[in-house]
Amino acid sequence: MVRIILLALLCIGFTSCKEKKPDLVSGDTSGYELSTKKWPKKSEVNAEAQDILKDWVEYNAFETSFDALYNVANRDDLSLTIEDLIEKQNAMEASKYPETFDKPQVKSRQKVFKTYILKVKGDIFYRIDPQESVVEMIRAYNAFRNQFDVVVNNTLDTDLILEE
């Protein structure tokens, strides 16, 4: 009988000294909040390009959705904003581009931007910290907007180059 009690005490002693494993799901939401202060600001488009873009309805709707990105407070807000951006980006991609911007350079920058939007969506889905992906997405967006300035400021006449 003493052996059974001693064996029971040893088992209890060993199990109570066992190291506790951290919970996989915790109630801590401190990592759930996002800080938009570290995100790069949206670049400006020059006045000539802006005059052309103001008539492109799908682009203006997309711009409004992108501006909402800077108002997100947590992952849920970011997820909703990204879903809206994807929807507006697809509508813009399918729309008729203004003649000045209907160029492969602009469309390729838009595809790169779309890739980064989907990367942010993947980070949210897999519960990875989306901060780095959002910064990359904003940089791709600024490159997309910068391409409008490049196209408008390009004064090189391609007909002169192509003459034989």
Side-chain angles (χ1 to χ4, degrees), residues 37-44 62 66 69-70 85 108-117 119-120 130-147:
K37 292 179 177 127
K38 296 179 184 176
W39 294 353
K41 298 299 177 201
K42 185 170 84 168
S43 66
E44 295 297 321
F62 177 75
F66 189 84
L69 182 68
Y70 289 98
L85 273 174
S108 68
R109 292 287 181 170
Q110 185 178 359
K111 284 197 184 290
V112 170
F113 176 67
K114 181 179 182 178
T115 302
Y116 282 108
I117 291 175
K119 182 178 180 184
V120 172
Q131 286 287 73
E132 185 179 331
S133 297
V134 170
V135 170
E136 290 173 340
M137 180 188 71
I138 293 171
R139 286 187 185 136
Y141 177 74
N142 286 338
F144 173 58
R145 287 175 60 95
N146 186 39
Q147 194 63 41

Side-chain angles (χ1 to χ4, degrees), residues 1-18:
M1 182 71 154
V2 176
R3 285 185 181 173
I4 294 175
I5 293 174
L6 185 59
L7 186 60
L9 286 175
L10 281 174
C11 288
I12 291 172
F14 284 131
T15 57
S16 66
C17 292
K18 187 176 176 182

Side-chain angles (χ1 to χ4, degrees), residues 103 151-163:
K103 303 204 181 294
V151 169
V152 169
N153 293 335
N154 186 5
T155 57
L156 183 63
D157 188 11
T158 56
D159 292 337
L160 294 175
I161 296 172
L162 298 175
E163 284 184 6

Side-chain angles (χ1 to χ4, degrees), residues 23-92:
D23 292 335
L24 293 178
V25 179
S26 66
D28 182 26
T29 59
S30 61
Y32 197 70
E33 307 232 344
L34 295 173
S35 173
T36 61
K37 292 179 177 127
K38 296 179 184 176
W39 294 353
K41 298 299 177 201
K42 185 170 84 168
S43 66
E44 295 297 321
V45 177
N46 71 19
E48 191 176 344
Q50 191 63 42
D51 286 341
I52 298 168
L53 291 171
K54 71 180 179 185
D55 296 329
W56 191 7
V57 177
E58 292 83 5
Y59 176 79
N60 291 323
F62 177 75
E63 277 287 303
T64 305
S65 293
F66 189 84
D67 290 339
L69 182 68
Y70 289 98
N71 297 326
V72 300
N74 55 40
R75 287 181 191 236
D76 290 337
D77 291 347
L78 181 62
S79 178
L80 292 172
T81 304
I82 291 297
E83 288 297 326
D84 189 43
L85 273 174
I86 291 170
E87 180 182 316
K88 299 288 172 64
Q89 194 278 336
N90 288 336
M92 182 174 64

